[in-house]
Amino acid sequence: MPPTAKVCAALAPELVEVQHSAEQVRRSAKQQAAAAATAATAAAASRAAAVAAEAAEMERLRHSLTPEQFAEYQRQRNMHAAAHSRDNVDLHRARYRPQGEERTPEQYRQLYADKDWAGSHITLDQLDASKFVMHAATQRLLQKVQVGLVDRQYERFGRTQGSWDGYTLMFRNGWKSGDMRKPVTDEFVEFCEAVYCPVWWALLFGPGWEAIRPHWNTMKACTIKVTEHSNFYGDNIFHMHIDGKIGVLEPKNHAQQHMSRLLFSIVTEVVEEPARAREPALGTTVYPIWQPKFGFANNWEFHEYMRSLYRDRGLENSGLPRPHYEMPDELIARAQSGEVLLHHSHTPRAGPPQAIHSEPNPCPDRHLFTFDWKNIVAKDAAGKYLPSVPIPGDAIIDHMRVLAEWGTPAFAARLAHAAGVARGLLETAGSYKGGREAVTEVLGTIEAALQQQQQLPSVQ
């Protein structure tokens, strides 16, 4: 018998056992595959049944709730679903969470006590984000104009299915206005663009509006409280961020586009009682009192910096998980009602930095306004980029600064200009429901303020 045959004969019992074991493995794998297929079919059937049940429940709620209640239910449901999505949580961890153990709250407190802030940071005054504070009487005037031309008109003909109790209105230079997440009627948008915006621009910027208008990109007017439905409402936990798609400013890169955001809020309770302007609960935009000396190239760098100093509580929040930083009272400052702020998306690497800030938490009843401005990028006939036209930040603020100068000839001239614009819009406003009445009332408010200015010794 050949050697190989002898070996095979000697191993025959073991080979039979191996073959038998392999057959058992194959049979077991088939059974497991069949069981998995059955389970998958059952799971698919279960998911289909759940989807059908959910659709039936949504249809029931759609018919049993008012449109406003149903819209709020959908919003809350979507927030909850996003917060508990494994994909969102994993994404948040991958993007924002450091590897390894995090500091304890006690370790953060010790970090703040030991930190040489002045040696490594700049103050808010050095950041120069705050430009001026509007006169209290000017804030009262602007609030009356906003209520007359927007708030009341929103109630008259601005609401549609899915509208919120408050509003967020977006107006854009050269492209469609509106916010799909906070719908309003087309007629209301048309009224605001044709009537409200010209009066508002006349009050804020005067005749200088036409010179700076090419740099205007968007305007937002908002009464919705962004933080109101968060799990952290009223706590010192903030969605700190930087406005826009951020980067390092490159003066020789003529194709680089960047943005500056002007913002201010008018707080209802402060308008009624100006002495309460510094109460924390009536504050607006929130800033860390210490800002880094350098600019950030991207949001990853920014959040790496924030994580090095502040505890991220974002995964505990409702809604799409994103960084929310816990910060003690002594390390934050809150802008006041009527304070005009200017932020930049791009700054030099060496600083000063982009402004780190957050929406107010808690959020008072207020009207929030933002304007986004852009540099103008252009090419010559050969397709070569020309030096971009920079955002005229100083000119924009100079046009607005008169709003802090109640009782001066400059402010009286601004009111006279705005009154002329409003008067010229009466016929246009008449084509909208209650439009002429609204403009007539606002015109009366402006003219009364103008008459008051003209009676002051400082104006005469």
Side-chain angles (χ1 to χ4, degrees), residues 405-459:
E405 300 170 0
W406 181 275
T408 66
F411 187 72
R414 176 63 54 85
L415 291 177
H417 172 73
V421 170
R423 199 174 296 112
L425 290 168
L426 284 169
E427 184 175 349
T428 300
S431 59
Y432 299 93
K433 183 179 179 180
R436 188 177 184 89
E437 293 81 356
V439 173
T440 299
E441 180 181 349
V442 163
L443 178 58
T445 299
I446 296 172
E447 289 178 333
L450 176 58
Q451 185 177 10
Q452 184 180 357
Q453 301 293 302
Q454 292 170 337
Q455 293 172 350
L456 294 172
S458 56
V459 179

Side-chain angles (χ1 to χ4, degrees), residues 242-248 296-299 302 344-346 354:
I242 296 173
D243 288 329
K245 185 176 181 181
I246 70 175
V248 174
F296 295 104
N298 50 55
N299 270 300
F302 162 64
H344 309 290
S345 65
H346 289 62
Q354 300 98 333

Side-chain angles (χ1 to χ4, degrees), residues 306-368:
M306 291 297 293
R307 287 197 312 267
S308 72
L309 293 174
Y310 307 106
R311 185 183 175 200
D312 177 12
R313 302 281 298 277
L315 289 178
E316 304 166 45
N317 190 42
S318 57
L320 182 66
R322 58 184 180 177
H324 282 69
Y325 296 102
E326 185 173 0
M327 306 176 71
D329 274 328
E330 63 270 20
L331 291 182
I332 62 170
R334 301 173 191 264
Q336 62 178 298
S337 178
E339 188 167 359
V340 177
L341 311 163
L342 189 64
H343 302 160
H344 309 290
S345 65
H346 289 62
T347 58
R349 172 62 91 177
Q354 300 98 333
I356 300 172
H357 64 286
S358 169
E359 300 89 353
N361 182 20
C363 185
D365 290 331
R366 57 90 175 92
H367 291 87
L368 165 68

